[in-house]
Amino acid sequence: MKLYNSATHKREEFIPNEPGKVGMYTCGPTVYHFAHIGNLRSYLMEDILEKYLRWTGYNVTRVMNITDVGHLSSDADTGEDKMLKGARREHKTVMEIAKFYTDAFFDDCKKLNIKTPDVVEPATSCIDEYIKIITRLMDTGYAYKAGGNIYFDTSKLERYYIFNDHDEEDLAVGVREGVEEDANKRNKADFVLWFTKSKFDGQELKWDSPWGVGYPGWHIECSGISMKYLGDRLDIHCGGVDNAFPHHTNEIAQSEAYLGHKWCNYWMHVHHLNTTGGKMSKSKGEFLTVSLLEEKGYDPLVYRFFCLQSHYRKALVFSWENLDNAKAAFDKLIAKAAALTPEDGGVDQEAFEAYRKKFDEALGNDLNTSLGITALYDVLKAKTNSATKRALLDSFDQVLGLDLLAKADRKRAAEEKRKASAPSSSGIIITGEGDPAIDALVLQRAEAKKSKNWAEADRIRDELKAQGIEVTDTKEGASWRKV
Ligand code: AMP
Ligand code: ZN
């Protein structure tokens, strides 16, 4: 496949270190708050890359960290640890916050059909790894101690800025945000490998080290965890585009100084999801989470579809109107898939291979997901039988992760049932996903409403909600779906 490599600024043929095998590392979430749907865009597009590689036959090992220590408010090593901030905000311990938001993150991923990586490692579990790396960096003169902390000396490198030509201005971000500049650094670009208590007394989690009791910096976590599980030569490293600098730049600096050779061959950066007002934020404006989408009645997979409609290397603007457009297109797609009858002869292998190739070319061209979706529409329009079309949808969906056939089958079953079922004695028509017990409850609620027994109607709605059923009133009665 061709993959754009941010380290070389080129689209390159992807060649793994070992034939047939891919080591893939993803920067995980900082678990001090819920993930916003912007964060999730990054994980979603990385999931597509992983699934596409598997689809083409690679044996992929994907590793992700969970940042539960060391990520400060400013990426320039100043401000407070985000985890501590989260713990204060909620009057809980850092570990309680980490557990709660790690679980919330994976709940969101599950709803978006984002596969859990093969290895998920909290940063706090690999302290020995970081100490081992930092010790060698100290021994070889790449790191120094100042003000109690250990810093990486960027002046020791021939080339530090890998992804872009950053200037001094970028490094002043923290200062502009009103956070004090770290006076211990020898060079502006230097970064912390290990903090000691001399700098942050309030830190809850601390470990002993050769340089004093303290905790690791954010960047060393990813180098340490990646090397622990994926070895000294990494194939692909992913993250959101804001991670390129300083986080990934620092990961490369310390990893290559430690190893003495090139570390990672391909860098994949997902561009940002923005709002119409600009940058997405957890603290300003509407906090856009998967739960909020659900509260507003959207199936989370509509958001997945929305993301797939555009390229990961382009900024994407989120608005409710844009999401509504994606919803309408997704509903139409499912309706078309529902019209394919499952029992319809065998698969036409020739047609299957031809359409599969089209999809492969789209995704293999730097993950062109929108062209991949066009290939999906082409299948639906194709002059071949339903069995072939369904087999193709099933195949493409191993990468797209939209639950196409399951949704289509549920829709068809519900429609068949609606056609078959006569209105109830009260004349109310219930449509749903083909579960008679739920139909009966929804009917009871509709009848309670009809006879103005609001308390009973509300009670039944709550009971349905507890079972994950969402009811919408219709002209003839009500319809329901599992959310
Ligand atoms: P964090 O939890 O802040 O460490 O971020 C988790 C991931 O989300 C990182 O890979 C970020 O680069 C990425 N990210 C942050 N904001 C956005 C955004 N608006 N759109 C896409 N990805 C983002
Ligand atoms: Zn990272």
Side-chain angles (χ1 to χ4, degrees):
M1 86 172 289
K2 290 239 179 347
L3 189 64
Y4 182 86
N5 186 354
S6 333
T8 57
H9 312 281
K10 278 196 212 96
R11 233 164 19 141
E12 294 174 352
E13 189 61 41
F14 172 67
I15 304 167
N17 285 304
E18 251 187 86
K21 277 191 172 175
V22 180
M24 182 172 168
Y25 184 84
T26 298
C27 288
T30 308
V31 283
Y32 70 112
H33 218 320
F34 291 107
H36 58 51
I37 56 172
N39 301 127
L40 290 159
R41 180 191 187 201
S42 286
Y43 296 107
L44 208 150
M45 299 314 290
E46 293 163 7
D47 179 65
I48 295 283
L49 174 62
E50 176 187 350
K51 286 183 173 149
Y52 175 67
L53 290 168
R54 288 186 194 276
W55 189 78
T56 55
Y58 284 112
N59 177 358
V60 183
T61 307
R62 176 138 175 238
V63 177
M64 182 170 92
N65 70 309
I66 297 288
T67 299
D68 54 359
V69 70
H71 191 176
L72 305 192
S73 302
S74 156
D75 287 354
D77 294 333
T78 47
E80 199 177 18
D81 190 321
K82 289 187 180 184
M83 293 302 297
L84 204 59
K85 233 173 150 174
R88 288 225 186 94
R89 185 185 66 231
E90 298 184 20
H91 308 288
K92 291 192 180 130
T93 64
V94 163
M95 277 294 124
E96 281 167 346
I97 290 284
K99 162 107 186 57
F100 180 82
Y101 287 112
T102 302
D103 291 348
F105 173 74
F106 286 112
D107 282 349
D108 287 345
C109 286
K110 199 165 163 226
K111 288 175 185 164
L112 291 169
N113 272 351
I114 298 172
K115 180 183 168 291
T116 302
D118 304 285
V119 178
V120 175
E121 186 74 292
T124 47
S125 306
C126 291
I127 301 298
D128 290 349
E129 219 62 37
Y130 320 138
I131 291 179
K132 184 178 81 185
I133 300 170
I134 301 168
T135 302
R136 192 189 292 175
L137 293 174
M138 284 294 273
D139 291 349
T140 50
Y142 280 105
Y144 61 91
K145 191 168 181 176
N149 301 316
I150 305 297
Y151 293 85
F152 186 92
D153 187 347
T154 52
S155 71
K156 293 279 189 297
L157 302 175
E158 265 177 40
R159 183 166 173 243
Y160 167 65
Y161 298 109
I162 302 290
F163 299 107
N164 282 305
D165 297 327
H166 291 280
D167 52 28
E168 300 275 298
E169 275 291 293
D170 291 320
L171 292 166
V173 171
V175 182
R176 276 206 300 275
E177 284 172 356
V179 188
E180 230 174 89
E181 202 174 341
D182 186 341
N184 294 320
K185 294 182 183 182
R186 285 185 194 160
N187 314 288
K188 269 199 157 181
D190 291 357
F191 54 93
V192 178
L193 297 163
W194 187 265
F195 291 102
T196 69
K197 67 170 191 247
S198 60
K199 187 166 178 183
F200 298 110
D201 262 342
Q203 191 72 9
E204 257 179 58
L205 302 172
K206 286 177 260 187
W207 295 266
D208 207 1
S209 85
W211 319 285
V213 175
Y215 63 100
W218 174 36
H219 320 298
I220 197 74
E221 298 171 7
C222 288
S223 293
I225 293 171
S226 168
M227 285 190 235
K228 178 172 175 188
Y229 292 101
L230 296 167
D232 293 354
R233 292 182 196 271
L234 179 62
D235 290 309
I236 309 176
H237 194 309
C238 316
V241 70
D242 61 310
N243 281 166
F245 183 82
H247 185 49
H248 293 162
T249 306
N250 293 346
E251 280 187 47
I252 296 172
Q254 68 205 2
S255 301
E256 297 194 350
Y258 169 74
L259 293 167
H261 60 70
K262 185 166 183 191
W263 171 49
C264 175
N265 287 338
Y266 300 88
W267 289 83
M268 184 237 199
H269 287 119
V270 181
H271 284 242
H272 273 179
L273 180 77
N274 298 318
T275 59
T276 41
K279 196 170 180 268
M280 189 158 290
S281 159
K282 296 189 186 192
S283 50
K284 288 177 219 129
E286 205 168 21
F287 186 6
L288 293 163
T289 58
V290 170
S291 310
L292 182 69
L293 300 188
E294 287 183 303
E295 276 164 34
K296 291 191 182 259
Y298 294 95
D299 176 343
L301 292 185
V302 164
Y303 177 65
R304 188 171 173 110
F305 185 72
F306 168 71
C307 289
L308 298 187
Q309 284 176 317
S310 60
H311 197 260
Y312 77 91
R313 269 194 316 113
K314 285 204 182 109
L316 178 61
V317 176
F318 177 85
S319 69
W320 295 108
E321 195 188 345
N322 292 349
L323 192 66
D324 282 336
N325 290 338
K327 180 182 175 343
F330 190 54
D331 287 348
K332 258 193 206 159
L333 183 67
I334 299 298
K336 283 195 177 128
L340 304 171
T341 43
E343 295 87 21
D344 179 27
V347 173
D348 173 348
Q349 278 307 327
E350 206 177 307
F352 182 88
E353 288 309 327
Y355 282 98
R356 194 182 188 280
K357 188 162 171 268
K358 257 188 151 180
F359 182 78
D360 193 4
E361 278 167 4
L363 273 286
N365 185 5
D366 195 26
L367 291 187
N368 195 332
T369 47
S370 66
L371 258 188
I373 288 178
T374 306
L376 191 67
Y377 285 118
D378 289 345
V379 167
L380 290 165
K381 282 187 289 194
K383 285 190 177 61
T384 182
N385 65 359
S386 291
T388 310
K389 292 183 184 182
R390 281 179 60 93
L392 282 160
L393 258 54
D394 193 28
S395 173
F396 297 0
D397 210 30
Q398 285 165 26
V399 181
L400 301 177
L402 294 167
D403 286 355
L404 294 172
L405 288 187
K407 280 186 186 298
D409 289 346
R410 278 210 295 270
K411 190 172 173 65
R412 186 172 350 87
E415 272 164 14
E416 276 164 11
K417 193 163 173 288
R418 188 168 60 88
K419 275 184 219 148
S421 70
S424 65
S425 54
S426 51
I428 294 169
I429 299 175
I430 304 299
T431 54
E433 298 182 0
D435 183 329
I438 306 286
D439 284 349
L441 258 183
V442 176
L443 177 63
Q444 266 180 40
R445 178 181 161 271
E447 284 171 346
K449 272 188 76 176
K450 204 173 175 192
S451 52
K452 299 202 168 23
N453 187 351
W454 308 118
E456 176 66 357
D458 286 349
R459 186 194 66 72
I460 301 173
R461 180 185 277 269
D462 290 345
E463 192 181 328
L464 288 161
K465 202 171 167 196
Q467 293 184 47
I469 304 297
E470 189 185 80
V471 183
T472 313
D473 293 321
T474 61
K475 258 198 280 167
E476 307 88 19
S479 81
W480 63 268
R481 68 178 187 113
K482 282 204 170 76
V483 288

